[in-house]
């Protein structure tokens, strides 16, 4: 079980879990619900855009051409944030809080509309009932359902991503948007299926760490590269980058994003690495894995990197601690993220034998732990 409190549970699930046919039971507020098991990489809850799908598999593209359901749910403003997150946990593909729309037609000025997207055929009534129950609502909120078309879905998905200002002079810009400041360092991104849009606090914390740390000439390892955003950023900051992941879709996404930033394979090395815990969770993953299965590599570059960042999940950070540390030179900086602030003590306990000068940065209940690899470390048994 992940170590998050009931108040953070829904928010944590919306970012850290991905749909799978295999489920385990998770107890929340004395209610047992079914949720999928966490994978190596944190996932975004937003569906892929059409361009990425057409480049990965026809299965993905055909899914986008299917109708989908637009569900507008109205509830009191005090519960709207929790309901939005709960809907994601119980089957919504995305949610948007629309205060203006709610104010125009709601029965109460205190009502707010949550506009959500569901796959066609999904049991919307059951989802809303479970979502309302999970956050303690006494009544099921009023809602209306209509069928959306493929064009609306793509447009809505793209509109949900705006340029993100990470810090002064550093922007994350979706491929279909114009950079707000062409003189800044702009990382162009097509989010696709992989995590790392620049919007999530853990991604921002890792980017800020790299921005303040890299001076040029360092060798950087992005452990669990996802969309490739950290590896691309490190290159733009003057370092040499290598990205590894166990997910074929992540490698495909990272390659595409590197190309969007005029970065070729000779500049950014991306490696699909084997994992006993990696198994495809969708048909598209199976197709992508088949396409690049001959590229699975075992990376043996131990104690080579000046900076290593793993922005993944609490459990793999704990289980893979020695493997993560093995890539770093003595004196290298290690960054560990993808965790809630309340999970920091677990990371501190696990990594304190390996690191010195440990620091923690936090943003919106999420954290990044970083420190310097000790010259000599004691072996820690798992």
């Amino acid at each position: 079980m992940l170590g998050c409190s009931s108040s953070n549970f829904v928010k944590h699930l919306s970012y850290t879990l991905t749909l799978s046919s295999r489920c385990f039971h998770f107890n929340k507020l004395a209610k047992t619900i079914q949720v999928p098991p966490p994978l190596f990489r944190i996932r975004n809850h937003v569906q892929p855009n059409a361009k990425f799908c057409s480049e990965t598999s026809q299965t993905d593209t055909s899914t986008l051409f299917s109708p989908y359901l637009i569900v507008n749910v109205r509830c009191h403003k005090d519960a709207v944030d929790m309901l939005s997150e709960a809907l994601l946990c119980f089957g919504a593909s995305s949610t948007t809080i629309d205060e203006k729309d709610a104010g125009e037609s709601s029965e109460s000025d205190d009502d707010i509309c949550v506009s959500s997207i569901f796959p066609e055929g999904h049991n919307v009534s059951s989802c809303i009932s479970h979502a309302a129950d999970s956050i303690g609502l006494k009544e099921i909120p009023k809602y209306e359902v209509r069928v959306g078309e493929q064009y609306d879905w793509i447009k809505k998905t793209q509109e949900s991503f705006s340029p993100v200002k990470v810090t002064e002079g550093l922007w994350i810009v979706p491929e279909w948007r114009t950079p707000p400041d062409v003189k800044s360092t702009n990382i162009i991104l097509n989010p696709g299926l992989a995590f790392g849009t620049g919007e999530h606090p853990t991604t921002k914390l890792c980017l800020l760490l790299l921005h303040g740390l890299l001076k040029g000439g360092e060798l950087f390892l992005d452990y669990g590269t996802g969309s490739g955003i950290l590896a691309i950023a490190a290159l733009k900051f003057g370092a040499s980058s290598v990205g590894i992941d166990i997910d074929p879709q992540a490698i495909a996404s990272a390659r595409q994003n590197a190309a969007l930033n005029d970065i070729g394979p000779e500049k950014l090395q991306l490696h699909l690495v084997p994992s006993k815990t990696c198994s495809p969770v969708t048909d598209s993953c199976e197709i992508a894995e088949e396409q690049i299965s001959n590229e699975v590599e075992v990376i043996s570059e131990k104690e080579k990197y000046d900076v290593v960042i793993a922005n993944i999940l609490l459990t793999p950070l704990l289980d893979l601690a020695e493997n993560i540390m093995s890539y770093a030179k003595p004196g290298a900086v290690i960054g560990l993220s993808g965790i809630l602030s309340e999970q920091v003590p677990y990371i501190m306990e696990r990594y304190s034998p390996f690191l010195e000068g440990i620091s923690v940065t936090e943003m919106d209940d999420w954290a990044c732990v970083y420190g310097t690899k000790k010259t000599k470390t004691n072996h820690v048994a798992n």
Side-chain angles (χ1 to χ4, degrees), residues 24-319:
F24 69 97
H25 288 91
F26 216 126
N27 187 277
K28 189 257 184 187
L29 296 178
K31 301 181 185 297
T32 300
I33 62 175
Q34 278 199 324
V35 296
L39 297 185
F40 181 72
R41 162 61 55 177
I42 302 175
R43 303 283 183 182
N44 257 347
H45 60 258
V46 181
Q47 294 283 357
N49 60 65
K51 180 176 180 181
F52 179 76
C53 288
S54 65
E55 292 178 352
T56 54
S57 76
Q58 297 197 355
T59 302
D60 289 340
T61 305
S62 64
T63 299
L64 279 177
F65 278 91
S66 300
Y68 63 96
L69 303 178
I70 301 173
V71 182
N72 294 323
V73 187
R74 300 188 182 279
C75 71
H76 193 275
K77 62 184 180 181
D78 291 340
V80 68
D81 288 326
M82 290 187 67
L83 179 63
S84 176
E85 302 285 9
L87 289 170
L88 291 168
C89 288
F90 287 96
S93 300
S94 67
T95 59
T96 304
I97 297 174
D98 191 351
E99 298 186 31
K100 181 179 178 181
D101 177 73
E104 291 175 352
S105 57
S106 64
E107 298 177 358
S108 169
D109 291 338
D110 290 332
D111 284 349
I112 290 179
C113 177
V114 179
S115 178
S116 54
I117 300 294
F118 286 85
E120 184 186 29
H122 193 88
N123 190 335
V124 173
S125 176
S126 176
C127 169
I128 294 175
S129 176
H130 285 307
D133 189 46
S134 73
I135 63 172
L137 295 183
K138 296 180 179 179
E139 297 181 356
I140 298 176
K142 295 181 179 180
Y143 65 93
E144 56 185 23
V145 182
R146 61 187 176 90
V147 178
E149 298 178 358
Q150 184 260 356
Y151 172 76
D152 295 332
W153 168 236
I154 295 174
K155 182 179 179 181
K156 191 174 186 68
T157 300
Q158 291 188 340
E159 287 177 350
S160 69
F161 292 102
S162 299
V164 176
K165 184 178 181 180
V166 180
T167 188
E168 191 66 34
L170 176 60
W171 288 82
I172 309 301
V173 185
E175 178 189 4
W176 50 87
R177 296 294 185 103
T178 301
D181 183 0
V182 294
K183 294 182 179 179
S184 294
T185 298
N186 292 297
I187 301 174
I188 311 302
L189 209 66
N190 187 329
L193 289 172
F195 175 81
T197 65
E199 293 183 317
H200 194 270
T202 60
T203 308
K204 289 181 180 178
L205 289 170
C206 292
L207 286 169
L208 289 170
L209 176 60
L210 286 175
H211 187 261
L213 186 67
L214 299 179
K215 307 302 179 184
E218 298 91 349
L219 185 56
F220 168 67
L221 176 65
D222 186 4
Y223 190 99
T225 191
S227 68
I229 186 171
L230 298 183
I232 293 168
L235 275 170
K236 296 202 172 196
F237 297 155
S240 298
S241 280
V242 175
I244 62 174
D245 209 294
I246 64 171
D247 186 349
Q249 289 181 332
I251 297 298
S253 180
R255 284 176 178 164
Q256 180 195 21
N257 288 322
L260 292 175
N261 290 271
D262 297 321
I263 298 171
E266 72 283 355
K267 291 184 179 179
L268 176 56
Q269 299 179 44
L270 294 167
H271 302 284
L272 180 66
V273 295
S275 172
K276 294 180 180 179
T277 61
C278 178
S279 58
V281 296
T282 63
D283 290 339
S284 60
C285 185
E286 291 174 358
I287 292 172
E289 185 174 36
E290 180 180 351
Q291 289 174 341
I292 55 178
S293 60
N294 62 332
E295 300 178 22
V296 176
E297 304 174 56
V298 177
I299 306 300
S300 58
E301 299 170 326
K302 304 302 182 182
E303 296 196 340
K304 177 179 178 180
Y305 296 91
D306 301 298
V307 181
V308 177
I309 289 184
N311 182 22
I312 45 178
L313 289 171
L314 175 65
T315 299
L317 284 175
L318 297 177
D319 293 344

Side-chain angles (χ1 to χ4, degrees), residues 334-371:
I334 311 295
L336 308 161
S337 195
I339 56 171
L340 292 164
S341 297
E342 63 192 52
Q343 296 172 334
V344 167
Y346 299 105
I347 296 296
M348 298 284 279
E349 180 181 2
R350 183 70 176 95
Y351 283 84
S352 58
F354 304 111
L355 299 176
E356 58 188 3
I358 298 177
S359 299
V360 180
T361 54
E362 296 179 279
M363 184 182 297
D364 298 336
D365 298 326
W366 297 86
C368 176
V369 178
Y370 63 95

